[in-house]
Amino acid sequence: MQSVSRQPESLAPYASTEASSRGRRFPEDPPEHRGEYQRDRDRIIHSNAFRRLVYKTQVFVNHEGDLYRTRVTHSMEVAQIARSIARALNINETLTEAISLAHDLGHTPFGHAGQDALNASMKRYGGFEHNLQSLRVVDELEDRYAAFHGLNLTFECREGILKHCALKNARQLGDVGRRFIERKQPSLEAQLANVADEIAYNNHDVDDGLRAGLITLDDLSEVAVFDRQYRQVITLYPGITARKAIHETTRRVINFVVSDLIRTTSANIAKARPRSVDDIRDRARPLVGFSTGVRKEEQELKRFLNERLYRHYKVLRMNAKARRIVSQLFEAFMEDYRLLPPEHQEVAQRVERTQGASAKARAVADYIAGMTDRYAILEHQRLFDPAERT
Ligand code: MG
């Protein structure tokens, strides 16, 4: 692709560059005043799906409190962590940012509980995967440009958005699906956005869990990566308030794991000696990663969050409600698509006629996946609560 490039001159030879880009699905004139990956990022920020992330759950449902992460603040934290690392590794910061901001665009309302429920409802119709849905949002569902469906993002951005994918789905996806079949890797920028996602949620879920009182500092003493930094903080700053100590610890944990990631990844790259982004793609295993010690500590933290936070009875109660809402909405719309708002009704009717029941189910799933938490709750009330206005 020829265009104005705002990237530093000195990107590593294995970084993704516009010069080596595989381009967009629908060819477009190059942008005049910005680079192609900047254009990707800007399209993502202007999309409806991005704005909806404001009202989508990360772990805590939006109405539980104003300070908890939502999917939009989560995505921004991912982008910020990923950008710092991209710059340190001399790879494409703008592409990394674009992938990070887009990675959760296909997320359902109510976080993983919503996605599991929609997947269960869609079982007979090909299932539901939020990664694949993120790609579907940017490729098909955003409907705002005159010349094409979707956002028409570059291959590199789409490759990064599709982090995981079942083989049966990969076979239908053409170029971006191929690496799952051939067991190859995406670009370093995509690998990095994926790990930055993990760093962001592990740390902000600890912070949100503490804020909600569902886990305590005492509980966290069994998590080495947290406890080590926490002890240093209270030794260095005796008398520090609990809130400050939590924040100071979290920033030190992030700094510690980010430094390890940069060191380990740089060493992996030095050993593999890739000369181009295609050398990166051809590898059987990713090059972006933690050292063995930190990987183990990250797994310990994940286990802790799984057992103590994600399975806390208060979180499980909310999840149960969420599952009920999502599956009942799905059933109601499948039973009678005339209950859908007109524009979705029209799509469901048309695709059912031309492509059958699975396509109708997909149209219903698209509608539900696009909902924010509060919209889903309201829509459920409108359909199931006789006292509610329709
Ligand atoms: Mg995420």
Side-chain angles (χ1 to χ4, degrees):
M1 266 191 264
Q2 293 297 314
S3 77
V4 183
S5 177
R6 291 282 182 272
Q7 291 154 186
E9 299 288 297
S10 58
L11 283 187
Y14 41 79
S16 297
T17 59
E18 294 179 11
S20 65
S21 175
R22 299 191 188 174
R24 301 178 188 277
R25 295 206 295 172
F26 306 95
E28 291 183 65
D29 290 336
E32 247 179 282
H33 306 292
R34 48 184 177 163
E36 297 283 4
Y37 299 135
Q38 283 178 292
R39 173 144 80 175
D40 280 356
R41 180 204 52 206
D42 299 349
R43 285 184 179 175
I44 289 157
I45 287 176
H46 288 293
S47 69
N48 287 336
F50 187 74
R51 282 196 303 285
R52 287 188 183 133
L53 297 181
V54 180
Y55 294 107
K56 289 195 181 197
T57 293
Q58 186 61 29
V59 173
F60 297 91
V61 174
N62 197 270
H63 58 248
E64 291 183 50
D66 290 347
L67 276 179
Y68 296 114
R69 269 70 174 188
T70 68
R71 285 244 165 234
V72 85
T73 59
H74 160 70
S75 300
M76 291 168 77
E77 287 185 33
V78 175
Q80 170 261 314
I81 290 169
R83 283 179 59 188
S84 307
I85 302 170
R87 198 176 279 212
L89 292 174
N90 230 353
I91 59 177
N92 201 304
E93 184 181 339
T94 310
L95 174 62
T96 309
E97 181 187 17
I99 296 169
S100 303
L101 291 175
H103 83 282
D104 271 347
L105 288 179
H107 233 295
T108 59
F110 311 119
H112 282 277
Q115 113 110 20
D116 292 347
L118 198 51
N119 187 28
S121 298
M122 284 292 288
K123 203 162 179 233
R124 285 170 45 212
Y125 310 106
F128 179 90
E129 293 179 68
H130 78 263
N131 269 297
L132 192 58
Q133 190 70 9
S134 294
L135 186 70
R136 197 168 153 71
V137 165
V138 301
D139 279 357
E140 311 281 340
L141 299 179
E142 280 293 322
D143 192 20
R144 38 197 311 116
Y145 295 92
F148 44 78
H149 285 302
L151 305 179
N152 197 30
L153 302 180
T154 60
F155 170 85
E156 294 72 31
C157 197
R158 297 171 59 238
E159 171 193 45
I161 290 171
L162 192 66
K163 290 198 282 192
H164 313 284
C165 176
L167 268 188
K168 66 171 175 17
N169 293 324
R171 290 198 188 93
Q172 332 248 325
L173 290 173
D175 55 0
V176 275
R178 203 164 302 132
R179 79 177 162 95
F180 297 96
I181 300 160
E182 296 172 355
R183 295 176 180 280
K184 291 188 173 163
Q185 303 305 315
S187 69
L188 285 178
E189 288 80 1
Q191 294 179 28
L192 172 55
N194 189 18
V195 181
D197 184 24
E198 226 174 276
I199 296 174
Y201 67 67
N202 277 338
N203 289 287
H204 65 47
D205 288 354
V206 166
D207 186 49
D208 280 352
L210 286 166
R211 178 173 287 109
L214 303 188
I215 52 174
T216 64
L217 284 168
D218 206 36
D219 297 333
L220 278 159
S221 65
E222 54 188 84
V223 181
V225 72
F226 187 91
D227 192 54
R228 202 168 46 238
Q229 304 295 335
Y230 180 68
R231 279 175 195 288
Q232 275 183 21
V233 169
I234 52 173
T235 310
L236 281 169
Y237 303 97
I240 189 173
T241 62
R243 220 11 25 242
K244 258 191 174 178
I246 292 166
H247 184 256
E248 183 63 34
T249 304
T250 308
R251 78 175 263 255
R252 285 166 184 248
V253 173
I254 293 176
N255 192 44
F256 172 75
V257 296
V258 162
S259 303
D260 179 83
L261 188 79
I262 292 169
R263 253 193 327 269
T264 312
T265 303
S266 301
N268 293 346
I269 292 171
K271 210 165 139 203
R273 292 206 254 154
R275 278 165 307 172
S276 68
V277 60
D278 284 330
D279 283 354
I280 304 281
R281 290 193 176 109
D282 272 338
R283 302 188 63 82
R285 300 187 57 76
L287 288 175
V288 176
F290 297 113
S291 63
T292 317
V294 169
R295 162 85 16 225
K296 279 200 184 128
E297 288 190 347
E298 284 291 285
Q299 280 161 354
E300 180 185 61
L301 171 57
K302 247 185 207 176
R303 253 196 321 273
F304 171 87
L305 287 169
N306 251 319
E307 285 162 17
R308 303 292 183 82
L309 182 62
Y310 308 145
R311 280 188 232 155
H312 192 285
Y313 83 98
K314 287 188 178 171
V315 174
L316 292 182
R317 280 185 185 189
M318 193 58 231
N319 288 354
K321 276 195 262 187
R323 272 199 303 276
R324 231 169 280 138
I325 291 175
V326 167
S327 50
Q328 289 176 357
L329 284 175
F330 184 85
E331 270 170 45
F333 293 133
M334 283 302 280
E335 208 173 281
D336 187 352
Y337 65 78
R338 292 171 305 173
L339 301 181
L340 289 163
E343 68 273 26
H344 294 278
Q345 196 180 123
E346 191 265 316
V347 175
Q349 192 177 16
R350 175 164 42 83
V351 296
E352 184 184 32
R353 213 170 34 231
T354 53
Q355 300 161 53
S358 291
K360 179 177 85 169
R362 187 63 56 196
V364 169
D366 286 339
Y367 176 48
I368 294 172
M371 293 178 185
T372 60
D373 297 356
R374 59 183 193 176
Y375 184 89
I377 293 168
L378 196 64
E379 190 71 335
H380 188 266
Q381 283 169 351
R382 287 192 288 241
L383 282 165
F384 290 94
D385 181 354
E388 190 65 36
R389 291 161 62 132
T390 53

